Structure formats: C-alpha cells, structure tokens
Amino acid sequence: DAGITQSPRYKITETGRQVTLMCHQTWSHSYMFWYRQDLGHGLRLIYYSAAADITDKGEVPDGYVVSRSKTENFPLTLESATRSQTSVYFCAATPGAAYNEQFFGPGTRLTVL
Amino acid sequence: GESVGLHLPTLSVQEGDNSIINCAYSNSASDYFIWYKQESGKGPQFIIDIRSNMDKRQGQRVTVLLNKTVKHLSLQIAATQPGDSAVYFCAESSNRDDKIIFGKGTRLHILP
C-alpha cells in the first residue's frame, strides 16, 4: 500500500521554466493539499481540493496552478518558476474534513536556479 | 493576523527523560488541534489530536494538554527515545474550515 507518492523527488530547473509536480494517492480520499516548507516558515498551504474538480487557494497561491480531474491525482504546476519558489513541496490527503489526520507524501525538493 | 507559533525552536532532552513541547495559538475560534512529527527527509506524520472541549488527551507515550484560557497547548513525550528525534509541529483548525494552519516547528534533540 503506497499511500501517497510524489514525483519527482528532486528537481532542478531554471527561472522562467514551467514545472509540474505530481501527487498520487492510492486511496480515494476526498481532500488533497499542497504545502511548501521553508526554513523559518514551517508548512504553508498553497492550494487544496475538497473533491475532483473543486480547488481553492491557500495561504501562498501566487505563481502556482493546480487541477484535479481525477480524485487520485493532484498536480501542482509552477507556470514560470522563480528562485523564491525553491522549496520542499509536500502533498497530503485526508478522507474526511481537512482537520482530520492528513497523510503526507515524501516531498519533492525543488531548486530553481 | 492569526497564527500558530512555538515558544522554542530547539529542545534538547536527555534520553529517558520526559519532553515537553509548547505551542501558542491566537485564533480563539479554533476548536481542533493537532501535533505532527517530521523526521529528517520525510513528510509530517500525525501524532495526536485534541478537540477544544477537552483539556487532556493521552496516546502511547504522548499526552497533549490544551489550556484554552491562555491559548496554549503542549505535547508531552514520556521516556524520550532516540527515535523521537524530529521536528514537531502543532496545527490548528476548526470544523468550519477546510484547512489547518501549521506552526513553525520545534526540533527535539535527544542527548545520549
């Protein structure tokens, strides 16, 4: 039972390039989330989704786009990467309300040069 | 603005001693609080939660205390082990919200 997988695990890109981070869950949990983690800021919510085709902004959505055409997948796209988007990105899912236990993926470390 | 914060960024504890990690919150409307543990190179992992109608909840070697009067919660780890070495995050939410807010984290360092 893989749970939540993220790909790639590591990515180096250049400023201005488009990058897509993938998140896949083997369950069918309704809620999915994208967080970024930076030193001194903890985990900050970028976007979340309550169900397929329903997405909403979190605390730091600027520069990011999400989609959720299937319950199992929740890709995060950086349309034009900037150095400030260098971070570790975590995807999470929870079966019920957002305040239920969230199951996190292993993270993607993204470096924007 | 509303935020969840932590008193200490790093806590060093002797192996076998009890650890206490503190957290302050400012949103009086929050009614659900959670502790997560994050080991190096991994995603956060749920430890224990507590609702605002409770002031104490116990799990396996862990206890969470909630003091609504001063908007403070704490995580107590009994008989700290090397495997407890990690960053611990508190988080808050409410049943009227679709998201939770994480604090900045406290690193727990275990001394041999």
Side-chain angles (χ1 to χ4, degrees), chain A residues 82-103:
Chain A
T82 65
R83 288 194 181 90
S84 65
Q85 292 177 309
T86 292
S87 187
V88 180
Y89 291 84
F90 287 99
C91 178
T94 186
Y99 56 83
N100 288 348
E101 176 181 353
Q102 294 192 13
F103 298 91

Side-chain angles (χ1 to χ4, degrees), chain A residues 30-74:
Chain A
S30 52
Y31 277 87
M32 295 188 76
F33 306 84
W34 273 108
Y35 296 90
R36 59 177 290 174
Q37 185 172 38
D38 307 290
L39 281 175
H41 289 282
L43 286 154
R44 292 184 291 175
L45 181 64
I46 304 171
Y47 268 96
Y48 66 100
S49 169
D53 297 322
I54 300 175
T55 62
D56 211 341
K57 295 178 180 179
E59 180 185 358
V60 288
D62 292 344
Y64 302 95
V65 174
V66 293
S67 62
R68 192 152 177 222
S69 57
K70 293 184 178 181
T71 300
E72 294 77 22
N73 299 321
F74 191 38

Side-chain angles (χ1 to χ4, degrees), chain B residues 53-71:
Chain B
N53 61 355
M54 304 170 67
D55 53 20
K56 180 180 180 178
R57 191 173 186 204
Q58 288 184 293
Q60 187 177 13
R61 277 202 312 119
V62 295
T63 301
V64 56
L65 299 177
L66 176 63
N67 185 332
K68 295 180 287 294
T69 302
V70 295
K71 296 178 186 173

Side-chain angles (χ1 to χ4, degrees), chain A residues 9 31 33 35 37 40-43 45 48 50 57-58 90 98-106, chain B residues 32 34 36 38 41-46 49 51 89 93-100 102-104:
Chain A
R9 293 294 313 278
Y31 277 87
F33 306 84
Y35 296 90
Q37 185 172 38
H41 289 282
L43 286 154
L45 181 64
Y48 66 100
K57 295 178 180 179
F90 287 99
Y99 56 83
N100 288 348
E101 176 181 353
Q102 294 192 13
F103 298 91
F104 283 80
Chain B
Y32 187 72
I34 317 104
Y36 281 85
Q38 185 177 24
K42 297 183 178 180
Q45 183 177 17
F46 174 92
D49 58 10
R51 295 192 181 276
F89 294 94
S93 185
S94 76
N95 57 17
R96 296 170 296 279
D97 208 343
D98 278 343
K99 51 189 178 291
I100 65 176
F102 283 85
K104 290 182 171 52

Side-chain angles (χ1 to χ4, degrees), chain A residues 102-113:
Chain A
Q102 294 192 13
F103 298 91
F104 283 80
T108 294
R109 182 175 294 276
L110 175 67
T111 301
V112 183
L113 302 176

Side-chain angles (χ1 to χ4, degrees), chain B:
Chain B
E2 296 167 343
S3 65
V4 176
L6 292 165
H7 294 312
L8 297 172
T10 303
L11 177 66
S12 295
V13 176
Q14 204 76 35
E15 182 179 347
D17 288 352
N18 296 336
S19 301
I20 299 176
I21 301 171
N22 295 304
C23 179
Y25 67 95
S26 57
N27 185 358
S28 57
S30 293
D31 51 19
Y32 187 72
F33 304 90
I34 317 104
W35 282 99
Y36 281 85
K37 173 186 180 183
Q38 185 177 24
E39 297 177 271
S40 181
K42 297 183 178 180
Q45 183 177 17
F46 174 92
I47 303 173
I48 191 168
D49 58 10
I50 188 168
R51 295 192 181 276
S52 59
N53 61 355
M54 304 170 67
D55 53 20
K56 180 180 180 178
R57 191 173 186 204
Q58 288 184 293
Q60 187 177 13
R61 277 202 312 119
V62 295
T63 301
V64 56
L65 299 177
L66 176 63
N67 185 332
K68 295 180 287 294
T69 302
V70 295
K71 296 178 186 173
H72 180 271
L73 70 157
S74 65
L75 177 70
Q76 299 179 3
I77 304 173
T80 308
Q81 303 169 358
D84 295 327
S85 179
V87 176
Y88 291 81
F89 294 94
C90 64
E92 63 175 318
S93 185
S94 76
N95 57 17
R96 296 170 296 279
D97 208 343
D98 278 343
K99 51 189 178 291
I100 65 176
I101 300 173
F102 283 85
K104 290 182 171 52
T106 291
R107 181 174 299 280
L108 179 62
H109 177 61
I110 312 304
L111 301 169

